[in-house]
Amino acid sequence: MRSVMDTFLNNEPGERVALVPLMEPLAARVGGMSYQAMSGDPGQWSANLAKVGQLLEADALVLGFDHTLLAEACGVQVQWREGRPLVAATGVLRPAADVLTGRLAVVLETLDRLCQTVRNDFCCVAAMSGPFTLAADLGLSAGEVGELKPVMVEIARALCDKRPDLLLLREGPAICEGDIGMTQRKAFNTLCNVARYFNIPTALYVEGYTRNTLAGIDKLKMDFYFFGEAAEGALPEPGWFLPLAERVRGIGVALPFDNESEAMKLAEDCSKILAGRNVLFTSAGELAHDTDLDVARKITVGLKSLCRRSQ
């Protein structure tokens, strides 16, 4: 498990593709509880995430992918509906000294537990909203994203202090609008510098992108780039990623874990088109609380047969 993800992070040849699905809502179900209850209990959160990781034979555990975690910590009002948190209203941005509280404090304790207890079996990935996703949640424009620097640095430093194997930033369509310019580069460079201080590699998980997005996204200077659903909820097109895969250390491609035939077809296409490139598979968004475990399990078993590198 862990060795496969280590191979990806080191950009080395390996026996198969690493698998890094986003599993937190499903982890709550495996633990027999709601996501709301789990996200308030670091012991349950870490234990349930490890359980579902073993069940799906994942190579890494991703913690903190829920974008409302940072939004709530920074002052946004969050409401729970049908077991999931939603941004209800924007609020006043809190000072950096006040953001490491509430559910975000639980994330930090959970990450600490994971890094101490499961590292022999899994790589530990700390996730957080990217600056443009957080700005959108707070009702700020892209031009105001610089106001978030103190809180973003505080949160990134707190996560990296737990020594995860990877810091994963999450962005949606806001980062995909227009070209990657100095505003975006400065915001991400700040966070990359924090991670580099701790010698932790960085990755960006992007949703809502188009083919044009891929032409310049590596200007952000992240180590790795993971891609969820494209614009309008479309599945990724493997051919889009080939030029980028030749320029960066590695990429992640999302699979639909609710459709075995589509997932395996996409995985097979990736293995052919991106042969010889450093690639892993992730999920198209988080695996929901009601994910069909039988289907998800069949997909993970099927992926074990795919070679990571062409011979």
Side-chain angles (χ1 to χ4, degrees), residues 242-297:
L242 186 56
L244 180 65
E246 294 175 341
R247 301 195 303 267
V248 301
R249 285 178 58 182
I251 65 170
V253 180
L255 303 178
F257 272 74
D258 58 352
N259 188 311
E260 181 185 1
S261 60
E262 284 190 6
M264 294 311 301
K265 174 65 164 59
L266 179 55
E268 290 167 3
D269 288 346
C270 286
S271 295
K272 295 174 183 176
I273 295 172
L274 300 173
R277 280 73 182 181
N278 194 27
V279 178
L280 64 69
F281 292 129
T282 183
S283 57
E286 295 181 283
L287 301 189
H289 196 273
D290 61 353
T291 295
D292 188 324
L293 278 169
D294 289 336
V295 171
R297 176 65 180 162

Side-chain angles (χ1 to χ4, degrees), residues 3-120:
S3 61
V4 178
M5 185 63 179
D6 281 336
T7 296
F8 172 82
L9 293 176
N10 293 326
N11 193 11
E12 298 172 345
E15 296 179 358
R16 62 171 176 82
V17 176
L19 176 62
V20 188
L22 309 167
M23 307 178 290
E24 289 169 285
L26 181 58
R29 174 182 154 200
V30 169
M33 62 197 311
S34 69
Y35 172 69
Q36 182 175 6
M38 187 184 76
S39 63
D41 186 327
Q44 291 287 353
W45 204 342
S46 58
N48 293 340
L49 198 52
K51 286 178 185 176
V52 75
Q54 292 169 347
L55 183 64
L56 297 184
E57 299 184 51
D59 300 302
L61 303 180
V62 180
L63 175 72
F65 192 76
D66 171 10
H67 71 100
T68 70
L69 291 164
L70 263 67
E72 185 178 44
C74 291
V76 167
Q77 296 180 37
V78 170
Q79 290 184 350
W80 290 85
R81 296 179 184 172
E82 298 181 354
R84 292 295 297 169
L86 301 171
V87 171
T90 59
V92 177
L93 178 63
R94 290 175 180 156
D98 297 336
V99 297
L100 302 181
T101 59
R103 288 194 300 146
L104 188 54
V106 179
V107 169
L108 293 171
E109 185 175 345
T110 304
L111 181 60
D112 189 50
R113 290 178 182 232
L114 284 174
C115 291
Q116 292 186 41
T117 60
V118 305
R119 289 195 106 133
N120 288 336

Side-chain angles (χ1 to χ4, degrees), residues 14-256:
E15 296 179 358
R16 62 171 176 82
V17 176
L19 176 62
V20 188
L22 309 167
M23 307 178 290
E24 289 169 285
L26 181 58
R29 174 182 154 200
V30 169
M33 62 197 311
S34 69
Y35 172 69
Q36 182 175 6
M38 187 184 76
S39 63
D41 186 327
Q44 291 287 353
W45 204 342
S46 58
N48 293 340
L49 198 52
K51 286 178 185 176
V52 75
Q54 292 169 347
L55 183 64
L56 297 184
E57 299 184 51
D59 300 302
L61 303 180
V62 180
L63 175 72
F65 192 76
D66 171 10
H67 71 100
T68 70
L69 291 164
L70 263 67
E72 185 178 44
C74 291
V76 167
Q77 296 180 37
V78 170
Q79 290 184 350
W80 290 85
R81 296 179 184 172
E82 298 181 354
R84 292 295 297 169
L86 301 171
V87 171
T90 59
V92 177
L93 178 63
R94 290 175 180 156
D98 297 336
V99 297
L100 302 181
T101 59
R103 288 194 300 146
L104 188 54
V106 179
V107 169
L108 293 171
E109 185 175 345
T110 304
L111 181 60
D112 189 50
R113 290 178 182 232
L114 284 174
C115 291
Q116 292 186 41
T117 60
V118 305
R119 289 195 106 133
N120 288 336
D121 299 316
F122 304 100
C123 279
C124 297
V125 179
M128 61 181 285
S129 297
F132 294 88
T133 290
L134 182 57
D137 285 341
L138 286 163
L140 301 177
S141 68
E144 297 173 301
V145 75
E147 298 177 18
L148 300 178
K149 179 178 177 179
V151 298
M152 296 295 291
V153 168
E154 182 73 11
I155 294 166
R157 183 183 293 121
L159 290 170
C160 290
D161 191 53
K162 305 301 181 183
R163 299 303 195 275
D165 298 288
L166 181 68
L167 179 66
L168 176 67
L169 304 181
R170 176 187 185 179
E171 288 285 7
I175 196 68
C176 305
E177 297 172 356
D179 297 331
I180 300 296
M182 186 57 66
T183 299
Q184 292 85 354
R185 292 166 64 183
K186 285 178 65 177
F188 278 85
N189 185 61
T190 296
L191 297 174
C192 287
N193 284 340
V194 173
R196 291 189 191 106
Y197 175 82
F198 290 91
N199 198 29
I200 295 171
T202 56
L204 175 65
Y205 184 103
V206 189
E207 300 168 290
Y209 55 91
T210 65
R211 189 168 189 172
N212 289 337
T213 306
L214 307 183
I217 200 165
D218 53 320
K219 292 178 182 178
L220 297 175
K221 304 297 183 183
M222 308 293 284
D223 294 305
F224 305 97
Y225 296 84
F226 300 168
F227 296 93
E229 291 182 336
E232 300 180 355
L235 290 174
E237 292 284 346
W240 290 8
F241 304 123
L242 186 56
L244 180 65
E246 294 175 341
R247 301 195 303 267
V248 301
R249 285 178 58 182
I251 65 170
V253 180
L255 303 178

